[in-house]
Amino acid sequence: AWHACKALADGGLLRRVIAPEVGAAGALAPFAQGLPWPFRKVMAVMNRLQWHHWHDDFFDRWASSWLEPGDSFYGWLNQSLATIRKCHRYGGKTFVDRGSVEPRLQQRCLREEYQKHGLRSDPICPRTVRRMMEEADETDWIVAPSTLVANSYMAAGYPPCKLRVNPLGVDLPDDIPDSKT
């Protein structure tokens, strides 16, 4: 996330970074807006209680309050539904980043693995899967870290024009020793 935001900032395309905590924002500090301390404590309690859907919804609603007319939004799947909707009402475009395969496929694969190991609980709360599907349906673009992830969305019926592949990578220093020596 940091590298994506830094690239947007370097290109003059970033107005604000909205995150639960921004203590380590570094070069992005001028753009950073974090949750006030009491809200971070509430979210920590939600996580400890495994109320992840409430946690993500709480953050999403708070984040959406920072949007202004004409803004575009780049967020993460499962934390962006209210923000996507508000951004569209304001005339903006939206991107959601998805680090794993299409949510229903992920749920099926994880259920198989859970069953192999005798685990009976649901690996991902069905409500969370529904929310991710709503976000994927409503966003303008889904940003995938690989063709595997993009292909999983196409296999689920999403049009290729809705998918963008942004491969994972690293920042390499200019003075890398030649690997052949």
Side-chain angles (χ1 to χ4, degrees), residues 111-124:
R111 279 183 179 152
E112 289 174 16
E113 289 301 311
Y114 270 44
Q115 288 173 358
K116 286 179 190 177
H117 298 282
L119 300 172
R120 304 216 183 280
S121 63
D122 230 344
I124 306 173

Side-chain angles (χ1 to χ4, degrees), residues 96-178:
V96 290
D97 205 293
R98 173 65 173 160
S100 188
V101 295
E102 189 269 340
R104 292 169 296 194
L105 173 60
Q106 182 183 27
Q107 178 78 309
R108 283 192 305 274
C109 292
L110 288 173
R111 279 183 179 152
E112 289 174 16
E113 289 301 311
Y114 270 44
Q115 288 173 358
K116 286 179 190 177
H117 298 282
L119 300 172
R120 304 216 183 280
S121 63
D122 230 344
I124 306 173
C125 171
R127 178 180 171 170
T128 299
V129 173
R130 282 191 306 274
R131 179 187 175 100
M132 287 191 281
M133 297 311 306
E134 284 183 76
E135 290 175 351
D137 290 344
E138 293 185 32
T139 192
D140 295 300
W141 294 283
I142 299 166
V143 181
S146 67
T147 54
L148 173 89
V149 173
N151 289 342
S152 74
Y153 276 90
M154 286 187 280
Y158 287 86
C161 62
K162 188 171 182 143
L163 300 161
R164 299 290 183 266
V165 176
N166 184 22
L168 297 175
V170 297
D171 282 338
L172 297 175
D174 293 333
D175 58 345
I176 299 174
D178 187 355

Side-chain angles (χ1 to χ4, degrees), residues 41-75:
K41 290 300 177 190
V42 168
M43 287 182 63
V45 169
M46 289 179 190
N47 267 341
R48 279 194 298 280
L49 295 172
Q50 296 186 351
W51 293 351
H52 303 294
H53 54 279
W54 293 107
H55 171 279
D56 294 336
D57 186 60
F58 178 83
F59 176 74
D60 178 27
R61 290 177 188 279
W62 175 78
S64 74
S65 72
W66 290 94
L67 283 181
E68 296 177 9
D71 281 352
S72 288
F73 170 73
Y74 188 113

Side-chain angles (χ1 to χ4, degrees), residues 30-45:
F31 303 97
Q33 178 61 53
L35 271 169
W37 180 83
F39 293 149
R40 288 197 311 264
K41 290 300 177 190
V42 168
M43 287 182 63
V45 169

